[in-house]
Amino acid sequence: MSVKEELLKRLSDGVVNMEEDDVAEAAQEYLEAGYPAFDGIMKGLIDGMNRAGQLYEEEEYFVTDVLLCSDAMYAGLDVLRPCLPDEEDKAKRKGVIGVVEGDTHDIGKNLVKIMMETAGFDMIDLGRDVPLQKFVDTAREEGAELICMSTLMTTTMGGMETVIHLLEENGLRDKVKVMIGGGPISQRYADKIGADGYSQNAVEAVKLAKRLLDIA
Amino acid sequence: MKGYGKISCKKGNLLSVLLKEGIYVENPCSGTGICGKCKVRILAGECSPVTETERRLLKPEEIRAGIRLSCMTEIDGDIEYETLQRERRARVLTRGYMPEFERDVFQGGYGVVIDIGTTTVVMALIELASGEERGAVSMINAQKYFGLDVLTRITYEYEHPETGMRRLQEAVVQSVNAMMREVCREAGCERAGIRQITVAANCTMMHMLLGVDARSIGRSPYNPAFLEAKSIPAGEIGIEAGKDTMLYCLPQVSAYIGADIVAGAYVCELQRTKGNILFIDIGTNGEIVLACGGRLLCCSCAAGPALEGMNISSGMRAEEGAVEDVRITEQGIELTTIDDKEPAGICGSGILAVVKELLRTGIVKKTGVFIKKEKLAETDYRCPMIRLNGSKREFLLHEDPPLVVTQGDVRQVQLAKGALLSGFTVLLEKAGITTNDLDKVMIAGQFGAHLPADSLTGTGILPEDVKEKLVYVGNSSKTGAYMALMSKAVRHEMEELADKMEYVELAETDNYERIFTESMIFPEF
């Protein structure tokens, strides 16, 4: 294994094993050895995060584990990203994500955001307790193709339907795909309110987003 | 009993039709196809085809036996069905610890104390002259038809803005009236002889009892319509007692720290302690109050229903036949069930006991994942206990009837544990103390009373070093209502206490996600 391959493996394993400090250190060594930041991100950090996602899907990892993996990934990104050439990013597909108005539970949403970013989406995170109109306005201003909404509470899930109506009223419904998720949400509910898709967890959300946007 | 019946309906959803007919089918997720509990067997008649959701949530043999999830089944015409849940005798805790206090109510006649829980309503009839309990009764909250948890019931108010509030109020008031008839019969007294009623309840139940709009409790910023103590003529809300019977509702602190918790904190004398005392009421919502250096900090943790045996694949409430304790040894698995009946499912204390044992024996690792079967020697005693369901590992607790604990079940417990421990950690951090500084940890509530210290610390809901500091105080909500019945000074002190309690919103605490994540790690043995 070459030195570069060894460092990439260390980055990837570091993410899978949730070793935040070692990932930051390995990223530094990787740069000092003169290797391109882009490969370090894609073949090291993102590779590790994808493996973590795989483990999550196999029920080997849980929310907690994936969040800790992502801490390690972001620690590496903080080191590598400043050294990326400028031209990247423009090809990224954009999505808006947030927890609907009235709800402040955002751990699930954060997890979806992490996995979407790992998969190469540019996610605009509106946070939690997001006013419904803001989803629509942001999607329009940013030219986003996706709106991802979540909620943990039955009392606030109705907001998702409102967002879909607002998209229609603003003439944006055919430009934006709507994905929903969260504790009380189900496929049936997605069908009922006319959302484009429902996903049960963060890994499925990525697959769903790719399917909805015809990304191979 | 299992129920057989026949219904007919022109085009409708089976669950809605059954509920409308007053036939109770358990539906914790309110018919959204998530929980898989609303099983009904179709004996005859035409139904919509089996859905994907049902294939996921039901076992193939169940589908072959004609079992459907009623929420996913559409009917059109006559149907013969069998409901599969048996009404079981539930175990309800009505007593507990009470400090000494000076009574200042001396009158004839009777008083009634009520603790309205989301699941269970508990009532006692008190002879005012002696202060003695003359009758006690508990009943499932009749609001269960509107959903099992507070949010679902609040959602009902959102969905039925015209009638929701009134129907929820009628349901609970009817429960109260029926129970009052019962206790009066038991004591051989007239309802007209009741002078005073005192009520402790969570904030949502209190709103619904008084017929006050509870909708704002269900949405951020979670502002209830009222928090203060109330004293009103009982007849005003339809309670059938004496002509001048007054109803006193204990004060509340916030949407998720209700009068039941104020009562509990008062009973545990948090308002006058010089030491550091932590009070915790464990349930679907775990409420924690910490008395420290003259301050009273409190928070509420969304633990979810796993600890009450819900959202667990073989879960059930603490009723007869529920597995409540488990021991795993090299010789096999020993189960204890409520009333020593044939095991029918696993209740909250049972699921915690199982998880504690799985951790102790290394079958589940501290990250919450099952050990890989191939990592065990074939002769290992644990090997036959782990079963593969496709690629997923599960723990075989009992062969026939089959009871398993899945990876998903362990995760549900882990979420609950993470929520509770994170609340505990945040309050201690805010107060600037460590676990060592705690003098006592008071465990309150119906559910907590059945949790041995081993389970609480063995699953890491609470840290190992508080084990020797645990004190079980029982139904402190009802005890608080009793004290308020017998003393006006107590009512006054409770109102002061409620004012003093500082509510901490966990979700808005700095670094909460990190604390929650760390709180999810199980202890290592």
Side-chain angles (χ1 to χ4, degrees):
Chain A
M1 213 187 273
S2 73
V3 178
K4 182 180 173 189
E5 279 169 350
E6 255 170 46
L7 281 169
L8 288 176
K9 183 168 182 313
R10 202 171 130 202
L11 287 171
S12 174
D13 290 353
V15 170
V16 175
N17 298 325
M18 314 164 209
E19 290 158 346
E20 197 174 332
D21 295 340
D22 190 60
V23 168
E25 215 172 274
Q28 200 60 47
E29 283 175 37
Y30 177 88
L31 284 180
E32 280 161 13
Y35 303 120
F38 184 77
D39 288 358
I41 293 175
M42 295 312 293
K43 294 179 186 163
L45 301 176
I46 299 287
D47 179 68
M49 205 57 213
N50 282 330
R51 284 164 61 200
Q54 181 70 34
L55 288 167
Y56 175 76
E57 212 175 8
E58 290 164 5
E59 290 194 354
E60 199 72 22
Y61 272 15
F62 195 39
V63 193
T64 354
D65 306 297
V66 179
L67 286 172
L68 290 170
C69 290
S70 76
D71 284 348
M73 174 184 73
Y74 285 116
L77 278 177
D78 285 345
V79 178
L80 297 178
R81 225 184 226 149
C83 302
L84 269 184
D86 282 341
E87 89 279 357
E88 304 301 332
D89 272 19
K90 61 175 176 284
K92 282 190 174 178
R93 312 285 287 261
K94 264 189 194 173
V96 175
I97 187 164
V99 176
V100 295
E101 189 165 25
D103 190 357
T104 48
H105 303 87
D106 62 355
I107 289 180
K109 179 269 295 172
N110 294 343
L111 203 59
V112 172
K113 177 186 124 184
I114 290 162
M115 295 316 292
M116 294 286 286
E117 287 185 342
T118 304
F121 287 90
D122 179 8
M123 298 305 287
I124 301 151
D125 186 359
L126 300 179
R128 57 194 191 203
D129 198 359
V130 177
L132 303 176
Q133 183 67 39
K134 196 165 173 195
F135 282 99
V136 179
D137 293 346
T138 312
R140 185 198 300 108
E141 287 155 19
E142 300 279 347
E145 297 169 86
L146 261 183
I147 289 183
C148 310
M149 292 181 279
S150 87
T151 185
L152 195 66
M153 303 197 300
T154 47
T155 45
T156 46
M157 53 201 265
M160 297 176 165
E161 187 169 15
T162 310
V163 169
I164 293 174
H165 290 317
L166 289 171
L167 284 170
E168 282 161 4
E169 281 167 26
N170 288 265
L172 288 170
R173 186 65 190 94
D174 52 350
K175 296 190 181 67
V176 180
K177 298 287 183 194
V178 176
M179 289 169 43
I180 61 174
I185 310 300
S186 59
Q187 183 61 49
R188 159 183 282 216
Y189 186 69
D191 296 341
K192 186 183 144 210
I193 67 169
D196 298 297
Y198 156 78
S199 72
Q200 208 181 356
N201 63 48
V203 175
E204 303 231 324
V206 171
K207 292 182 191 162
L208 173 65
K210 288 184 170 174
R211 199 167 68 234
L212 292 177
L213 297 181
D214 282 324
I215 302 170
Chain B
M1 296 320 296
K2 285 189 186 184
Y4 295 90
K6 206 178 200 175
I7 41 171
S8 66
C9 161
K10 265 219 153 314
K11 281 206 194 323
N13 175 274
L14 181 55
L15 177 65
S16 319
V17 174
L18 288 171
L19 289 180
K20 206 177 285 170
E21 293 291 317
I23 297 150
Y24 184 61
V25 180
E26 196 125 36
N27 62 112
C29 76
S30 305
T32 49
I34 294 172
C35 71
K37 296 273 183 206
C38 62
K39 292 177 198 172
V40 167
R41 195 152 79 103
I42 304 297
L43 304 171
E46 285 296 306
C47 302
S48 57
V50 177
T51 60
E52 266 318 297
T53 307
E54 290 169 280
R55 284 188 208 289
R56 194 157 44 76
L57 293 169
L58 293 171
K59 301 191 186 87
E61 60 267 28
E62 288 180 319
I63 291 177
R64 276 195 300 276
I67 291 174
R68 302 288 307 265
L69 293 184
S70 54
C71 73
M72 303 304 292
T73 307
E74 302 296 323
I75 60 168
D76 188 3
D78 293 344
I79 293 285
E80 272 178 54
Y81 66 88
E82 174 193 352
T83 57
L84 302 172
Q85 295 122 353
R86 279 177 285 167
E87 281 278 347
R88 289 166 180 275
R89 203 148 49 82
R91 181 171 65 183
V92 176
L93 178 80
T94 58
R95 297 187 172 277
Y97 164 82
M98 181 162 59
E100 277 186 28
F101 71 106
E102 221 161 286
R103 49 182 298 201
D104 60 19
V105 171
F106 300 95
Q107 57 183 145
Y110 291 89
V112 163
V113 298
I114 314 176
D115 164 38
I116 305 178
T118 310
T119 310
T120 314
V121 185
V122 174
M123 177 184 289
L125 182 77
I126 311 294
E127 188 182 72
L128 288 172
S130 64
E132 299 280 326
E133 189 170 300
R134 293 291 175 226
V137 63
S138 70
M139 213 172 128
I140 298 289
N141 189 331
Q143 287 183 346
K144 77 172 180 180
Y145 291 99
F146 301 94
L148 291 182
D149 57 276
V150 294
L151 273 186
T152 320
R153 292 185 202 160
I154 295 172
T155 304
Y156 186 84
E157 286 192 3
Y158 272 106
E159 285 169 357
H160 304 84
E162 305 288 322
T163 56
M165 235 182 328
R166 199 187 70 240
R167 295 192 59 188
L168 284 157
Q169 184 187 27
E170 278 168 6
V172 64
V173 168
Q174 272 168 18
S175 289
V176 166
N177 283 334
M179 290 168 80
M180 274 200 322
R181 279 195 292 277
E182 175 83 27
V183 283
C184 286
R185 191 162 52 229
E186 199 182 323
C189 75
E190 294 291 323
R191 271 184 291 159
I194 297 168
R195 300 283 172 80
Q196 173 76 51
I197 302 170
T198 54
V199 182
N202 66 51
C203 193
T204 306
M205 290 304 110
M206 200 68 100
H207 278 62
M208 289 176 174
L209 173 73
L210 297 184
V212 177
D213 191 338
R215 286 178 292 183
S216 58
I217 297 173
R219 296 178 64 114
S220 171
Y222 316 110
N223 286 328
F226 72 96
L227 289 170
E228 70 280 8
K230 296 221 173 210
S231 195
I232 59 164
E236 215 169 78
I237 57 166
I239 290 183
E240 296 156 6
K243 191 159 60 68
D244 304 313
T245 309
M246 291 299 285
L247 176 83
Y248 177 77
C249 302
L250 273 62
Q252 329 173 81
V253 176
S254 73
Y256 294 102
I257 295 286
D260 49 349
I261 303 305
V262 174
Y266 185 85
V267 168
C268 294
E269 299 182 284
L270 263 53
Q271 72 283 6
R272 57 172 71 130
T273 180
K274 300 263 184 303
N276 301 321
I277 300 184
L278 186 118
F279 167 97
I280 178 166
D281 186 334
I282 300 173
T284 300
N285 263 314
E287 294 98 347
I288 308 179
V289 188
L290 174 64
C292 169
R295 275 176 91 186
L296 287 157
L297 300 168
C298 57
C299 71
S300 169
C301 329
L307 299 183
E308 301 192 357
M310 295 284 122
N311 270 7
I312 297 288
S313 50
S314 301
M316 67 182 283
R317 291 194 182 280
E319 294 161 344
E320 56 185 52
V323 174
E324 60 171 341
D325 199 10
V326 175
R327 181 113 192 122
I328 303 174
T329 68
E330 304 209 358
Q331 282 70 48
I333 303 164
E334 295 160 21
L335 302 183
T336 312
T337 60
I338 296 179
D339 294 340
D340 290 324
K341 291 277 161 54
E342 173 85 347
I346 312 171
C347 68
S349 49
I351 190 72
L352 270 195
V354 179
V355 171
K356 184 246 315 170
E357 287 292 280
L358 292 175
L359 289 162
R360 190 181 59 79
T361 52
I363 297 173
V364 166
K365 297 193 267 185
K366 70 170 183 170
T367 57
V369 73
F370 271 96
I371 192 169
K372 288 201 169 88
K373 200 171 175 165
E374 53 271 28
K375 291 225 169 129
L376 295 174
E378 262 177 56
T379 52
D380 193 303
Y381 74 99
R382 296 170 292 183
C383 228
M385 299 175 183
I386 305 171
R387 190 169 79 169
L388 283 176
N389 181 359
S391 67
K392 300 188 168 166
R393 282 154 275 167
E394 53 190 32
F395 176 72
L396 194 57
L397 182 67
H398 193 258
E399 288 267 4
D400 186 29
L403 296 180
V404 295
V405 176
T406 65
Q407 182 68 69
D409 295 340
V410 176
R411 296 310 192 185
Q412 288 296 323
V413 172
Q414 198 173 6
L415 282 171
K417 166 231 181 317
L420 292 166
L421 183 62
S422 70
F424 176 96
T425 307
V426 166
L427 289 195
L428 260 64
E429 267 181 26
K430 287 241 177 216
I433 60 168
T434 67
T435 318
N436 281 334
D437 301 323
L438 286 175
D439 298 308
K440 275 194 280 185
V441 174
M442 320 289 272
I443 310 287
Q446 162 84 4
F447 178 62
H450 298 291
L451 297 181
D454 270 353
S455 289
L456 284 170
T457 59
T459 52
I461 288 178
L462 296 172
E464 181 68 25
D465 28 343
V466 302
K467 200 165 169 181
E468 307 302 322
K469 299 173 182 173
L470 300 185
V471 182
Y472 291 83
V473 296
N475 187 343
S476 56
S477 173
K478 182 191 152 201
T479 309
Y482 171 81
M483 292 172 75
L485 177 73
M486 302 309 294
S487 162
K488 291 199 163 126
V490 165
R491 288 181 215 170
H492 182 67
E493 284 176 12
M494 283 179 172
E495 289 163 25
E496 282 178 350
L497 170 64
D499 275 343
K500 250 188 89 180
M501 287 167 66
E502 300 170 49
Y503 182 67
V504 176
E505 175 63 55
L506 291 179
E508 277 158 30
T509 304
D510 287 342
N511 226 355
Y512 179 67
E513 190 169 289
R514 174 53 77 102
I515 296 171
F516 178 66
T517 304
E518 283 167 4
S519 300
M520 295 240 284
I521 311 281
F522 282 120
E524 217 164 357
F525 283 88

